[in-house]
Amino acid sequence: MTTASRTSAARAADERPAHRDGNVLRWLGAYASSMAGDGVYYVALSWAAVQAGTPAQAGLVLSVSALPRAVLMLGGGVLADRFGPRRVVIGSDAVRCAAVLAVAALLFLTGPSLWPLTVLALVFGTVDAVFVPAVGALPARIADRGQLARVQGMRGLAYRFAVIAGAPLGGLGVALGGAAAAFGLAGLLTALSLPLLLRVRMRELPPDDAPDARGRTARADLVAGLRHIRRHPVLAPLTVAIALGDLGFVGPLNVGLTLLADERGWGASGMGWVLSGFGAGAGAASLLLTLRGRLPHAGRVAGWSLLAGSPAIGALAYAPALAAAVGTAVLIGLLAGLSGAVCAALLQTQADPAYLGRVTAVASLVSLGLTPLSMPLSAAAVGVWGTGPVFVVSAAVCGLGGVVALAVPALRHAELPR
């Protein structure tokens, strides 16, 4: 093949829609398999912890992974940028697979015990701190810039599929062979991602051209990444908008919804219907991005989605019946899913390629590390003031994220590449 032919083939591959790109589809399959394995893992961990100890001890085991994930997330971003996100994701999945299968074998031989479950949870939290930034930095290295919004939509659909499939598969594993079988299934699903990831081709992105980049320490790399966000006219306000949106959304969705369902007498099944409404709305937003590929006026879309979704969060607490609550949840999921996917695409296209892992780490730290702190605060506030006022305050916080996005000209006028 001549040089001109190779150039023409490369250009055709770059222009290929993401949903027809085998490279993107391999990554998507690996991501879905890994996330489904995570879903099975959490079911198995919950079941084994309850069997091995008291409810308080089980709760401690389930929450122990949050600390290393929050503390080490920024360092994970540095690793993703230094060693490449594909290599970090492959290593992370390999470690998780080995750890889960080891605990599965141990439980099969000895029965449920708290100490291996605690160690496993710590390992998962530590690996998540590396895995999450690397996964967030991968799309820009496997797809053309103009396809990143579509890739985010496809990723959202894959995640929804993994969530829907993971919990039932975990329950089936527990029913057939106990926690050991469920952990074994989680390890096998994670293992399926490895051969797919090994076949994913990476695009060459420009390196960090800072004069001292080659000799910098890890700490200096982290400081450089934070400085890059702080000085960027779009990334800085976008990070603030994401933080406010997540802070206003996570508390009501997790703790507040449970307390609201109990207060209204909807029960666990009613809460499940509302959560399904959230999932359906978010899935519809992902499908929209998958089909459209690119939304014009991305900054405005992100801001108005956050702003329009905030009254729905407050209205959820005052829904007169379960059907109205489910409909409101669909609307919230649609708008939150749309703003989340657009914000993620903006992060990847606005960030300097050399800083993608660190930029993703900062945004992920807000969602996975800091916003869980709002859950106990939401629960305590509901106990004092009731669900209605707490949902309204949460809605105001979420809406403030939209205000930030629309008030900063650089973010308001930000566009996704064609």
Side-chain angles (χ1 to χ4, degrees), residues 37-394:
D38 275 9
V40 175
Y41 156 78
Y42 284 114
V43 172
L45 184 68
S46 302
W47 180 264
V50 169
Q51 296 296 308
T54 65
Q57 290 172 327
L60 181 61
V61 169
L62 294 174
S63 62
V64 75
S65 63
L67 181 60
R69 186 168 55 208
V71 171
L72 301 175
M73 184 74 75
L74 295 180
V78 172
L79 290 178
D81 286 333
R82 280 199 163 198
F83 299 105
R86 175 177 172 271
R87 186 181 301 175
V88 171
V89 169
I90 290 173
S92 300
D93 272 353
V95 170
R96 288 198 291 186
C97 177
V100 170
L101 292 178
V103 170
L106 185 62
L107 294 183
F108 179 77
L109 295 173
T110 64
S113 177
L114 286 175
W115 73 263
L117 299 178
T118 304
V119 171
L120 180 62
L122 286 170
V123 169
F124 254 70
T126 302
V127 172
D128 270 353
V130 178
F131 176 82
V132 172
V135 165
L138 263 175
R141 287 173 166 84
I142 62 174
D144 184 66
R145 282 169 56 85
Q147 293 294 319
L148 285 178
R150 176 173 275 129
V151 170
Q152 288 302 321
M154 296 168 66
R155 180 183 175 186
L157 289 175
Y159 177 75
R160 294 297 158 191
F161 169 79
V163 169
I164 292 171
L169 284 174
L172 180 63
V174 168
L176 294 179
F183 277 126
L185 178 58
L188 291 176
L189 285 170
T190 305
L192 285 177
S193 70
L194 296 175
L196 292 171
L197 287 169
L198 289 171
R199 295 186 59 203
V200 171
R201 302 184 309 276
M202 300 290 288
R203 298 166 58 89
E204 290 295 329
L205 294 180
D208 189 350
D209 58 0
D212 62 339
R214 186 175 298 274
R216 280 198 307 234
T217 64
R219 182 179 181 278
D221 272 349
L222 176 57
V223 172
L226 296 175
R227 187 184 301 119
H228 176 65
I229 295 173
R230 180 171 58 84
R231 293 178 177 177
H232 198 284
V234 173
L235 293 179
L238 182 59
T239 303
V240 174
I242 291 172
L244 291 170
D246 285 343
L247 283 170
F249 182 75
V250 170
L253 176 62
N254 289 276
V255 176
L257 180 58
T258 303
L259 298 174
L260 179 64
D262 180 65
E263 178 184 294
R264 296 296 185 85
W266 295 339
S269 62
M271 185 178 70
W273 278 107
V274 177
L275 288 173
S276 297
F278 283 120
S286 297
L287 182 61
L288 172 65
L289 283 175
T290 300
L291 296 176
R292 286 292 303 271
R294 177 185 181 273
L295 293 177
H297 312 297
R300 288 189 177 94
V301 169
W304 282 114
S305 297
L306 276 173
L307 198 59
S310 59
I313 293 176
L316 184 61
Y318 299 96
L322 178 59
V326 173
T328 304
V330 171
L331 179 61
I332 296 171
L334 176 64
L335 295 171
L338 184 61
S339 66
V342 172
C343 286
L346 283 172
L347 280 174
Q348 292 176 6
T349 54
Q350 293 289 328
D352 187 294
Y355 294 93
L356 271 173
R358 281 161 285 180
V359 170
T360 305
V362 172
S364 301
L365 177 63
V366 171
S367 298
L368 299 175
L370 301 182
T371 52
L373 298 177
S374 68
M375 290 190 283
L377 294 177
S378 295
V382 168
V384 176
W385 293 293
T387 54
V390 171
F391 271 65
V392 169
V393 171
S394 296

